[in-house]
C-alpha cells in the first residue's frame, strides 16, 4: 500500500517526509493500524499510531506508539485513546518501559528500521494482555 492510500486522522494535514517513510514501511509490514497526525503547540509535528484490541465488537485495550524526529515510544493507552489521543505518550503517562513498552531513538536507527521494530512490537505478546 502506498502512502497516499493510508487514511490519516488527527489534527494536521500532510505528513512529513519522515512520517511518510515510517508509515509506508509500517503499513507494508502490518496493515490495519490507525495513523493520527498531530503537532505540539510550537508546531513540532508528531505521529500517533494505534492498534485497538477488539473482542466481540468491543475495544478492550489500545496500543499506541508515538513517532517524531526523536524516535518511537510505545505502550498501552490508559483509556483506549479516549482522552490521551491528542497528547504525547509522556504527557499521558504512558509506560514505555518494561516488557510491554518500546523506546527507540532515531540516532540509533533509520526510519525504516524503526518501522520494522514498531511492527514487531505491535504483534509481540504483551504481559497479561
Amino acid at each position: 500500500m502506498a502512502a497516499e492510500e493510508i487514511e490519516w486522522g488527527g489534527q494536521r494535514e500532510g505528513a512529513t517526509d519522515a512520517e511518510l517513510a515510517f508509515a509506508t514501511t509500517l503499513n507494508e509490514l502490518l496493515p490495519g493500524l490507525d495513523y493520527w497526525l498531530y503537532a505540539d503547540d510550537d508546531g513540532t509535528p508528531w505521529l500517533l499510531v494505534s492498534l485497538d484490541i477488539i473482542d466481540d465488537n468491543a475495544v478492550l485495550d489500545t496500543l499506541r506508539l508515538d513517532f517524531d524526529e526523536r524516535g518511537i515510544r510505545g505502550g498501552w493507552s490508559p483509556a483506549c485513546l479516549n482522552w490521551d489521543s491528542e497528547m504525547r505518550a509522556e504527557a499521558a503517562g504512558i509506560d514505555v518501559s518494561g516488557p510491554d513498552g518500546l523506546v527507540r531513538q532515531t540516532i540509533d536507527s533509520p526510519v525504516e528500521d524503526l518501522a520494522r521494530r514498531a511492527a514487531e512490537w505491535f504483534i509481540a505478546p504483551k504481559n497479561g494482555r
Side-chain angles (χ1 to χ4, degrees), residues 1-101:
M1 175 181 277
E4 59 271 359
E5 296 176 16
I6 294 174
E7 291 188 34
W8 302 97
Q11 299 176 329
R12 138 176 99 77
E13 294 291 324
T16 66
D17 290 343
E19 290 168 340
L20 285 171
F22 179 80
T24 301
T25 302
L26 182 54
N27 196 61
E28 289 172 358
L29 296 167
L30 189 61
L33 300 173
D34 293 317
Y35 296 87
W36 311 91
L37 298 170
Y38 293 104
D40 294 332
D41 290 340
D42 67 1
T44 303
W46 61 283
L47 171 66
L48 172 80
V49 182
S50 64
L51 173 66
D52 290 334
I53 310 302
I54 299 173
D55 185 30
D56 198 24
N57 292 324
V59 176
L60 302 179
D61 227 328
T62 302
L63 282 170
R64 62 165 287 162
L65 178 133
D66 293 10
F67 170 83
D68 62 18
E69 75 279 351
R70 297 177 297 160
I72 54 176
R73 291 155 313 286
W76 291 104
S77 167
C80 298
L81 297 182
N82 284 325
W83 59 262
D84 63 306
S85 65
E86 298 177 9
M87 59 179 63
R88 289 184 180 257
E90 296 87 350
I94 306 299
D95 184 4
V96 298
S97 65
D100 288 354

